[in-house]
Amino acid sequence: MPLILPLLLAVALFCIGVYGVLARRNAITLLISFELMLNAVNLNLVAFDAWRLDGLATGQTLAVFVITLAAAEIGLGLAIVLLLFRGHGSVDADAARDLAEQDTSVELDAAVEAEKAS
């Protein structure tokens, strides 16, 4: 198989993942888009490893490492999404910005003004 075919598929997967991250506001869709981008990277690693034919399987080893990191990322991401849904009732990524405490910015502004006065 020529090298260009898996590379074109990886480019398509990565572009779909980037579009999902930039255009969507649902936290679940963001996580799926991140996974698509990581799968595109894995496909590139394995394709270049098969193309090199060095016998060391470094691309496949790195792909397994990326899969492990992706599993940890999705586990942590789903836990955050569940906490967001429990606390806010929505998994909208823009709604998560509203969860920041407003009082901290007032306290920080007062501390900066106190430093300037002294």
Side-chain angles (χ1 to χ4, degrees):
M1 177 188 318
L3 181 62
I4 193 70
L5 295 177
L7 294 182
L8 287 175
L9 179 61
V11 165
L13 283 175
F14 195 83
C15 289
I16 291 170
V18 168
Y19 173 75
V21 167
L22 295 177
R24 303 294 177 185
R25 292 293 142 217
N26 189 343
I28 301 291
T29 308
L30 289 174
L31 289 175
I32 291 171
S33 298
F34 284 133
E35 290 297 319
L36 271 176
M37 290 189 296
L38 288 174
N39 284 333
V41 170
N42 284 339
L43 186 59
N44 276 332
L45 287 171
V46 172
F48 278 112
D49 182 50
W51 180 65
R52 268 184 55 185
L53 295 174
D54 62 352
L56 296 176
T58 54
Q60 294 175 10
T61 305
L62 286 173
V64 169
F65 182 68
V66 170
I67 289 170
T68 306
L69 287 177
E73 174 251 336
I74 208 66
L76 184 63
L78 283 176
I80 291 170
V81 167
L82 284 174
L83 287 175
L84 179 66
F85 183 74
R86 282 184 189 167
H88 201 271
S90 170
V91 290
D92 188 23
D94 289 332
R97 293 184 188 139
D98 298 336
L99 296 177
E101 291 184 36
Q102 300 298 326
D103 296 336
T104 57
S105 62
V106 173
E107 291 173 5
L108 287 175
D109 290 339
V112 169
E113 290 298 325
E115 278 187 31
K116 286 182 183 178
S118 59

